Amino acid sequence: MKTIIGLLVVILVVFGIAFGGAYYFQKGVEDKMDGKVESIATASLQGLREQARLTAFMASFVAVVTSTQERLGLKAEKTMIMPGTVRYEIDLNKLQPTDVKWDKESNVLTVNLPPLILAGPEVDIDGIKQYDGGGILMALTDAGETLDAANRKRGQDELMKQAKGEVPMRLARDATRSAIERSFAMPLKAAGVKATVVAKFADEGQEAASDEQNHGQAENAQVQNAHQEPEGGAHTPAEQGTHE
């Protein structure tokens, strides 16, 4: 009996040593991997900051503006068609080490990006076209120069307004995120680290939460409406189409 107990004790001790050794070995490997990821991420961040600015997306727009002026009972009008290009950039110097976070549980490296900067517009001078009316007033006064100046200002404002639209801003954000993710993912892959890089803008989390809240409210409204029968009785889809 004592022999059996002694044998069990030896087995437990050997198992404990083996298990403990495996645990500390695995922990050591994970700690080494975490340090490797952090070193690569720090080097990638430093390389990006040295570039100062990243332009990942450019878009061209066309503004059509018209200005008028009345003097001496006469009226002058000029229309300008102004093409221009806007660059979408981020200031890489604003990226800080705290903006790069490694989650070893999910193997995800998250990069928080500074806001987009719209640079421009760069007006295509050769592509500008103008149409005018009211030659007498423009011949007698400086109305032509005044209208040109007004159209140039309005044209540039219109180009920037178009550049801030939902579609170009979404495309610019997607292009910027992809560029940053590649900048971090490529060195990690080259080092044999299996990791997912996710770049995001600070306000995207708020937008997602807002969208989710709105979606939830819409679903609640649908559920409530489903229990309320419309006046005059419920309509089938076909009947609703007929009434429309």
Side-chain angles (χ1 to χ4, degrees), residues 141-210:
T141 67
D142 62 347
E145 291 78 3
T146 303
L147 293 175
D148 286 341
N151 278 340
R152 283 194 296 270
K153 176 64 170 60
R154 293 182 61 191
Q156 292 178 8
D157 291 344
E158 175 61 23
L159 290 174
M160 292 303 292
K161 180 180 178 181
Q162 293 180 29
K164 294 177 182 178
E166 180 182 353
V167 173
M169 287 294 290
R170 183 178 69 249
L171 294 174
R173 284 172 178 259
D174 290 346
T176 302
R177 280 194 298 265
S178 297
I180 294 295
E181 288 171 357
R182 286 195 302 269
S183 298
F184 283 90
M186 291 177 64
L188 289 172
K189 184 177 180 181
V193 178
K194 293 182 179 180
T196 301
V197 181
V198 177
K200 61 180 182 179
F201 292 90
D203 59 346
E204 287 182 322
Q206 299 173 359
E207 291 176 356
S210 177

Side-chain angles (χ1 to χ4, degrees), residues 61-125:
F61 305 94
V62 177
V64 180
V65 294
T66 300
S67 296
T68 60
Q69 190 172 87
E70 294 185 10
R71 295 186 196 175
L72 307 174
L74 301 174
K75 181 178 179 180
E77 180 179 277
K78 267 197 170 185
T79 296
M80 177 180 288
I81 301 175
M82 175 188 289
T85 302
V86 175
R87 302 189 312 276
Y88 298 78
E89 306 175 342
I90 58 172
D91 185 355
L92 296 173
N93 286 319
K94 291 186 177 180
L95 276 175
Q96 301 298 322
T98 54
D99 293 321
V100 182
K101 299 178 181 179
W102 167 246
D103 185 352
K104 63 181 180 181
E105 300 297 331
S106 59
N107 288 340
V108 174
L109 184 71
T110 303
V111 184
N112 294 318
L113 303 177
L116 281 174
I117 301 171
L118 275 62
E122 296 179 359
V123 178
D124 180 8
I125 303 298

